[in-house]
């Protein structure tokens, strides 16, 4: 008797579970960052908002810390629909999407507010359309601050200080070009490998924003941070285009709203974390170097822009549009 009831109950539970799998769409999401990082917290918030705003019809399970692979691999997985969602930096998306690569041109943005004004305008639409064409629909933009150089030996004040230095960059010809034009040796490498590479001297330096410099522990093995601020690259909450296009209009609105709210939350967390990360590494003994004159770094980037125009002659107006945006 007892056995029969247990069996019936177990069957009912299994049926209910099946029904919930069938009625809900359970998405899987990729993020590279550790617990507590602004993007990690804000992606969890996105998952929470998604469930609420879609009335539980869509849910998202986030995989943080890069556990589902490197960023270039995850971008491919979202394109292929093996994953539905990713929090991506546009740097590694650039090689796939020439229009989205404009944001990875060194010194293209004046500052972070300028970057957001550009993304909110016509240029943002062109960039998003280029991404959608390659299978990745951006839903909202996250802040990733400005990236600066760091290394273990000395402060960097002029391009001559980069000469001969092995510098890790993200996978993108614009970044290898950037280091080469400064006289250094570019070394493209996955984010997860950079700590060991710095520690063992495989590279002499790298470049990133304050929160990543701090959260990865790179500051422990590369104690000079020089404020070059050569790259200001946005990040996205991105979705597989097929997944997005299959949504009803009502669900599209709900998903977009959840992403926008998550992005506003992320930007607020970002501002606080930038200050906190800087304070933490300074307290740990990092030498922060203000570069008095950044003009020589900017001037050295002319060939990087030329190579970009040569490969994408049709994208010159997009660059000019960004430069003309107040
Ligand atoms: C971080 C960014 C990551 C990743 C990383 C890197 O600032 O948030 O998505 O691009 O930099 O340097 O690989």
């Amino acid at each position: 008797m007892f056995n029969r009831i247990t069996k019936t109950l177990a069957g009912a539970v299994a049926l209910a579970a099946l029904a919930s799998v069938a009625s809900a769409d359970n998405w899987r999401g990729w993020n590279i960052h550790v617990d507590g990082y602004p993007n990690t917290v804000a992606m969890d918030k996105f998952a929470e908002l998604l469930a609420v705003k879609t009335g539980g019809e869509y849910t998202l399970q986030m995989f943080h810390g890069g556990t589902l692979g490197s960023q270039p691999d995850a971008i491919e997985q979202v394109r292929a629909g093996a994953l539905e969602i990713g929090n991506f930096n546009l740097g590694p998306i650039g090689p796939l999407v020439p229009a989205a690569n404009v944001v990875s041109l060194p010194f293209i943005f004046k500052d972070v507010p300028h970057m957001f004004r550009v993304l909110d305008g016509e240029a943002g639409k062109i960039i998003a359309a280029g991404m959608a064409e390659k299978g990745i629909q951006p839903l909202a933009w996250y802040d990733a601050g400005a990236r600066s150089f760091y290394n273990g030996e000395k402060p960097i004040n002029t391009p001559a200080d980069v000469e001969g230095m092995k510098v890790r960059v993200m996978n993108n010809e614009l970044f290898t070009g950037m280091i080469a034009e400064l006289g250094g040796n570019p070394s493209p490498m996955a984010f997860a490998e950079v700590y060991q590479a710095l520690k063992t001297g495989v590279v002499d330096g790298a470049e990133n924003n304050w929160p990543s410099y701090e959260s990865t522990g790179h500051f422990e093995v590369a104690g000079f941070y020089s404020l070059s601020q050569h790259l200001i690259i946005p990040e996205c909450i991105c979705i597989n285009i097929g997944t997005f296009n299959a949504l009803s209009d009502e669900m599209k609105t709900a998903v977009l709203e959840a992403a926008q709210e998550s992005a506003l939350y992320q930007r607020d967390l970002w501002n606080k974390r930038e200050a906190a990360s800087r304070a933490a590494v300074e307290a740990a003994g990092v030498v922060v170097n203000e570069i008095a004159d950044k003009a020589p770094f900017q001037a050295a980037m002319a060939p990087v822009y030329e190579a970009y125009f040569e490969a994408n002659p049709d994208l010159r107006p997009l660059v000019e549009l960004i430069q003309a945006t107040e």
Side-chain angles (χ1 to χ4, degrees):
M1 170 72 179
F2 180 71
N3 219 348
R4 237 183 27 234
I5 293 176
T6 336
K7 269 192 190 153
T8 317
L9 267 179
V13 169
L15 267 181
L18 264 183
S20 82
V21 168
S23 70
D25 221 315
N26 299 299
W27 295 344
R28 300 198 320 154
W30 180 93
N31 161 41
I32 207 164
H33 293 291
V34 293
D35 280 355
Y37 199 87
N39 303 26
T40 306
V41 178
M43 286 304 287
D44 283 341
K45 178 63 120 194
F46 173 59
E48 199 184 303
L49 290 166
L50 178 76
V52 172
K53 287 181 187 286
T54 65
E57 219 169 295
Y58 295 92
T59 56
L60 169 64
Q61 185 182 3
M62 280 306 302
F63 294 86
H64 300 298
T67 47
L68 296 184
S70 73
Q71 184 147 213
D73 287 351
I75 290 167
E76 284 310 318
Q77 290 192 50
V78 170
R79 288 186 68 200
L83 289 173
E84 288 79 13
I85 299 284
N87 162 221
F88 296 132
N89 185 284
L90 262 59
I93 287 182
L96 287 171
V97 185
N101 217 10
V102 284
V103 302
S104 291
L105 285 164
F107 300 107
I108 184 97
F109 295 118
K110 295 174 195 134
D111 49 26
V112 168
H114 179 229
M115 175 194 80
F116 281 127
R117 286 196 299 279
V118 165
L119 291 173
D120 289 342
E122 193 50 37
K125 287 193 194 126
I126 297 171
I127 292 167
M131 290 169 67
E133 217 172 274
K134 290 286 160 74
I136 313 172
Q137 174 71 48
L139 297 170
W141 304 113
Y142 275 13
D143 192 349
R147 298 172 75 102
S148 289
F149 291 117
Y150 49 89
N151 60 301
E153 294 235 309
K154 57 172 191 219
I156 291 169
N157 283 301
T158 66
D161 293 326
V162 181
E163 229 173 87
M165 199 181 268
K166 270 181 285 172
V167 184
R168 180 269 173 174
V169 288
M170 292 188 283
N171 244 300
N172 187 322
E173 278 183 9
L174 291 178
F175 307 148
T176 48
M178 169 183 83
I179 300 299
E181 292 306 330
L182 295 173
N185 300 322
S187 180
M189 182 184 301
F191 192 43
E193 289 162 24
V194 184
Y195 182 90
Q196 275 307 317
L198 284 166
K199 191 170 176 175
T200 57
V202 168
V203 295
D204 305 308
E207 45 87 56
N208 221 313
N209 51 46
W210 285 116
S212 282
Y213 176 55
E214 177 256 316
S215 68
T216 52
H218 292 180
F219 69 96
E220 295 163 8
V221 284
F224 290 94
Y225 192 91
S226 298
L227 282 159
S228 49
Q229 301 178 313
H230 51 276
L231 288 169
I232 297 178
I233 310 177
E235 304 201 354
C236 63
I237 304 182
C238 280
I239 187 168
N240 168 267
I241 189 80
T243 305
F244 187 69
N245 285 343
L247 297 172
S248 68
D249 285 351
E250 192 194 343
M251 286 298 132
K252 273 187 188 142
T253 306
V255 170
L256 282 166
E257 266 181 32
Q260 294 298 341
E261 281 180 35
S262 158
L264 292 181
Y265 182 52
Q266 190 271 350
R267 293 178 201 177
D268 185 44
L269 292 173
W270 183 264
N271 288 332
K272 292 175 183 140
R273 179 63 179 253
E274 265 193 327
S277 291
R278 176 173 183 162
V281 300
E282 284 192 285
V286 162
V287 177
V288 179
N289 173 46
E290 300 273 351
I291 298 177
D293 183 14
K294 286 194 255 172
F297 290 90
Q298 293 176 16
M301 293 303 108
V304 177
Y305 277 68
E306 277 320 309
Y308 179 73
F309 291 141
E310 220 165 275
N312 311 283
D314 52 321
L315 289 174
R316 196 182 280 269
L318 179 59
V319 172
E320 286 165 0
L321 175 63
I322 293 175
Q323 287 168 336
T325 303
E326 286 299 313

